[in-house]
Amino acid sequence: MEKTYLNRFFTRSNIINPQINKDLVVHNYMLLKGYHRNEYFFKNTLFNKLVIGKYSFATTAAFEEVAIGKSKADFVLVNHSHGVVFEIKTDLDNLDRLYTQLEDYSTVFSELYVVTSEKNYYPVYRAIKNFETVGIIVLTNGVNLSIRKEAINFDEYLDFNYLFKLLRRNEYEDIIKRHFSVLPDVPPVYYYKECLNLFKKFNIKVAQNEVMKKLRERKKLNQVKLVRELPMEIRWLMYSSKLNRDELEIIIRQYK
């Protein structure tokens, strides 16, 4: 089975195709597990093991490709007001930019992990040995998440500007109104800057907590809980596809 086929198979447009059934999904996912552990396989494993297996939809949200600086975090988990980045490095990935990516992520998140394979553990370890606070998780052959190096919370690089950039306008307005009662009364051209200036009055950890809570609130509980009813092989794909409740219910019926 070609790897290109497997990459294309686990896409939203393909999975919602009524001609695709559960047996085919399970079969192709087993091929991913055995022969082609791509980025989707890693993300789906993180989602099933952590969001569904360890935490709760009521307190936890997950995101992918979160833009921070010049990088995009592969998998971000927010539990209550604590966020963690999981940067995925499969056997196919280049490690040249890894250190720079982690520097970008540390402007917003205090806990960082690199998730990789058994084969790739030592190359990853060598690549980040000078970034002592970053943890390493190995996705084992048995599809377990093995922490080989524990992450250490690190706040020194947190940056108000990067934190603020993650917020939508309605989100930062809500934060400012709750803390300062009113919004800036300035011409539109200065509005964003004045909101940012107020945001910078917080303690940096308070600012970080406010941003994490807003990220978590973006996931609607009554919709994402339905993802648990889907086959585990496609849960992350459907969770991250921003489907509404009716669309999710149609897919659940398709894969019964």
Side-chain angles (χ1 to χ4, degrees), residues 43-54:
K43 289 177 179 178
N44 194 53
T45 302
L46 286 166
F47 182 72
N48 279 302
K49 298 282 189 182
L50 298 179
V51 178
I52 293 181
K54 182 177 180 180

Side-chain angles (χ1 to χ4, degrees), residues 12 40 60 64 108 114 116 129 144 151 158 162 165 168 194 202 233 249:
R12 171 182 169 174
Y40 174 73
T60 310
E64 65 179 347
V108 171
V114 180
T116 192
K129 64 181 179 181
N144 292 309
L158 293 179
Y162 289 103
K165 284 179 181 178
R168 299 166 180 168
E194 285 305 308
F202 297 141
E233 294 85 357
E249 288 177 343

Side-chain angles (χ1 to χ4, degrees), residues 126-138:
R126 288 191 294 269
I128 64 169
K129 64 181 179 181
N130 293 327
F131 211 137
E132 297 178 356
T133 58
V134 177
I136 303 176
I137 294 174
V138 167

Side-chain angles (χ1 to χ4, degrees), residues 71-88:
S71 306
K72 288 186 178 181
D74 288 326
F75 190 94
V76 168
L77 184 150
V78 180
N79 178 244
H80 293 285
S81 60
H82 180 71
V84 186
V85 168
F86 298 88
E87 181 63 18
I88 295 166

